[in-house]
Amino acid sequence: MTTPAPTASSAAAVPPVVAIAYHSGFGHTSVLAEAVREGAADTGVTVHLVKVDEITEEQWALLDAADAIVFGSPTYMGTASGAFHVFAEATSKRWATRAWQDKLAAGFTNSGAKSGDKLHTLQFFAVLAAQHGMHWINLGLPSGWHSSTSSENDLNRLGFYLGAGAQTDTDRGPDGVHKADIATAEHLGRRVATQAAVYAAGRAAAAA
């Protein structure tokens, strides 16, 4: 007896997989990565945290199998950290085989200044995703903390649209990451996971 092909509904019922590929120099970006993980996990998806400076072959395979990859790094000297750049260059093997083609992608970063050239880091992530043929998911939030009635506790308090931008005082440890920035990172995780589910359902329906 032959096994029937999966229907669109059964294929879409399989939870998507989100991977968070990040580097953290002093622990602040780890706090944000965990927030992205929690936000994504709240939607029921499978989530993997991958420290790119310690990546193993098994973790490369997790990235290859993921439906979405969220890139994260502190912003150092106007761009992503050196460790993340090493990882980005190592993805060229995936670029050569188009292994990440049509996956979803997003990004987050942290620096000591309110701006701190974080936009350049997010743009670096977006260009990296584009080179792989991935689809970029933006933050999807209006800017917060931009009027006399708004507050530094608003989501997206720093007004980044391309991804999640966070600011932590340079003389504070990971426990000093701003609560609004953590909540913004959680929002990003939920948004990526939700879009991954929509994308997976549409792909399953098209295949059916």
Side-chain angles (χ1 to χ4, degrees):
M1 187 174 76
T2 59
T3 302
T7 64
S9 59
S10 64
V14 178
V17 176
V18 174
I20 303 164
Y22 75 100
H23 172 248
S24 184
F26 299 97
H28 308 90
T29 311
S30 289
V31 172
L32 297 172
E34 180 60 30
V36 175
R37 186 203 66 78
E38 290 184 6
D42 283 347
T43 71
V45 305
T46 300
V47 189
H48 301 297
L49 284 172
V50 176
K51 295 181 178 180
V52 299
D53 55 331
E54 302 174 0
I55 193 167
T56 64
E57 287 302 319
E58 180 182 1
Q59 289 174 323
W60 276 114
L62 290 177
L63 296 180
D64 293 342
D67 296 283
I69 302 175
V70 185
F71 301 125
S73 168
T75 294
Y76 292 156
M77 303 306 294
T79 188
S81 66
F84 193 94
H85 275 269
V86 170
F87 162 75
E89 290 186 17
T91 68
S92 62
K93 293 181 180 179
R94 271 69 189 172
W95 171 86
T97 61
R98 311 313 293 164
W100 293 357
Q101 183 87 20
D102 290 330
K103 293 183 185 296
L104 304 183
F108 61 95
T109 187
N110 176 83
S111 72
K114 296 294 189 293
S115 173
D117 290 325
K118 285 187 277 282
L119 177 59
H120 185 261
T121 300
L122 295 173
Q123 289 171 331
F124 169 72
F125 292 155
V127 171
L128 174 64
Q131 289 194 333
H132 282 283
M134 303 169 80
H135 303 291
W136 186 259
I137 304 298
N138 58 46
L139 184 59
L141 283 174
S143 59
W145 200 20
H146 61 357
S147 71
S148 61
T149 59
S150 58
S151 163
E152 68 172 291
N153 296 312
D154 293 341
L155 288 178
N156 195 22
R157 69 188 181 106
L158 301 178
F160 286 89
Y161 293 88
L162 196 59
Q167 180 271 333
T168 309
D169 294 337
T170 56
D171 56 353
R172 300 191 67 184
D175 60 342
V177 178
H178 201 287
K179 301 300 183 185
D181 295 341
I182 293 174
T184 300
E186 290 175 350
H187 167 86
L188 178 66
R190 284 190 296 272
R191 177 167 168 80
V192 170
T194 299
Q195 293 303 308
V198 170
Y199 194 75
R203 186 166 48 196

